[in-house]
Amino acid sequence: MGVIMIIATYAAWFCATFAVLMCMDLLECFLHALRLHWVEFQNKFYGAEGYLFEPFDFAKAEKDE
């Protein structure tokens, strides 16, 4: 009876692990496609108005003082 329980437990563990991995793979594909749709959708509304980003520079800040 012990061998049968070990085999049944392993089969249940294997099926559960396989199901989790398949759900993770499906979710990964779905989220990647969703992200691409979101990026392409947002590009339609981007106007590129504003000013150029200038990173902070300690040397320039010391000259201004």
Side-chain angles (χ1 to χ4, degrees), residues 18-58:
F18 186 75
V20 167
L21 289 175
M22 287 292 105
C23 288
M24 287 172 57
D25 188 48
L26 183 76
L27 189 63
E28 173 190 2
C29 297
F30 169 73
L31 289 176
H32 184 65
L34 184 65
R35 183 189 67 82
L36 288 175
H37 278 84
W38 179 258
V39 168
E40 294 297 326
F41 178 73
Q42 291 300 323
N43 284 339
K44 295 179 181 184
F45 305 106
Y46 181 66
E49 298 172 359
Y51 55 91
L52 185 62
F53 173 73
E54 294 181 26
F56 183 75
D57 187 11
F58 283 108

